[in-house]
Amino acid sequence: MIDGLSFDVMAGQVRVLRGPNGIGKTTVLRTLAGLQNPVAGQVTCDPDTVAYGGHADGIKPTLTVAENLRFWASVFGTSDIDAALRDFNLWDLRNRLAGTLSAGQKRRLGLARLLVTGRKIWILDEPTVSLDTASVALFGAAVLAHVGAGGAAIMATHIDLGVDADIIDLTPYRATYAPTSDGFDEAFL
């Protein structure tokens, strides 16, 4: 739990949480996404507007890249995966089993799922882990397109994404541990 933290996120806005490891960035993001209840205070957000991407890529290794995206599109009631394949440079890999991808390719596939959710708010925990410079640029472009279309993004990252973002430094806030017992693996919601 982070004591005293308060902020708003509006359409077209990117907020980046920063602070040292263990300060509570993941806790804040999980609470905002509705994956755990706030210990105190409130989160005002319709959960059906949120797509959450955690530390795990949340892909099915025995499905192809395209099958993974079609699966997630069906979960969220959408169907077009072509933009996700194209925007995350996965087109040539679309028929490859996800389990055979490199770590960076798996991460790009995990992030490409955001584009098939149709959700307005992206909540992302360290989204650029395992990405090379070119892939970080792809992700930055996806975020810019998302917020340019009226979406919003809240994420924890230690790197500059080349995206105009409001930084929220959690260092001044006192973090306390609030254990969870739900067993959720944080892959994707």
Side-chain angles (χ1 to χ4, degrees), residues 145-156:
H146 178 66
V147 298
I154 308 160
M155 65 187 92

Side-chain angles (χ1 to χ4, degrees), residues 26 29-30 35 51-61 68 72 98 102-114 123-131 139 156 183-189:
T26 297
L29 294 174
R30 284 179 48 83
L35 301 175
Y52 176 80
H55 292 124
D57 294 319
I59 60 175
K60 307 284 186 191
N68 268 281
W72 284 106
S102 71
Q105 291 167 333
K106 287 176 184 174
R107 192 60 169 175
R108 287 196 335 255
L109 175 55
L111 292 170
R113 292 174 303 147
L114 294 166
I123 298 178
L124 307 167
D125 200 354
E126 310 238 10
T128 57
V129 170
S130 300
L131 295 183
F139 172 69
F184 181 66
D185 70 1
E186 299 185 3
F188 194 76
L189 175 70

Side-chain angles (χ1 to χ4, degrees), residues 1-80:
M1 175 176 86
I2 301 290
D3 290 335
L5 178 66
S6 177
F7 63 91
D8 293 324
V9 180
M10 309 304 284
Q13 191 172 33
V14 178
R15 297 277 188 151
V16 172
L17 303 181
R18 293 262 168 87
N21 293 338
I23 194 72
K25 298 180 296 291
T26 297
T27 298
V28 170
L29 294 174
R30 284 179 48 83
T31 303
L32 292 173
L35 301 175
Q36 63 189 58
N37 292 324
V39 174
Q42 65 181 9
V43 175
T44 307
C45 177
D46 178 0
D48 290 335
T49 63
V50 173
Y52 176 80
H55 292 124
D57 294 319
I59 60 175
K60 307 284 186 191
T62 58
L63 297 180
T64 67
V65 168
E67 288 169 337
N68 268 281
L69 289 174
R70 278 195 291 274
F71 168 78
W72 284 106
S74 70
V75 167
F76 287 96
T78 64
S79 60
D80 184 19

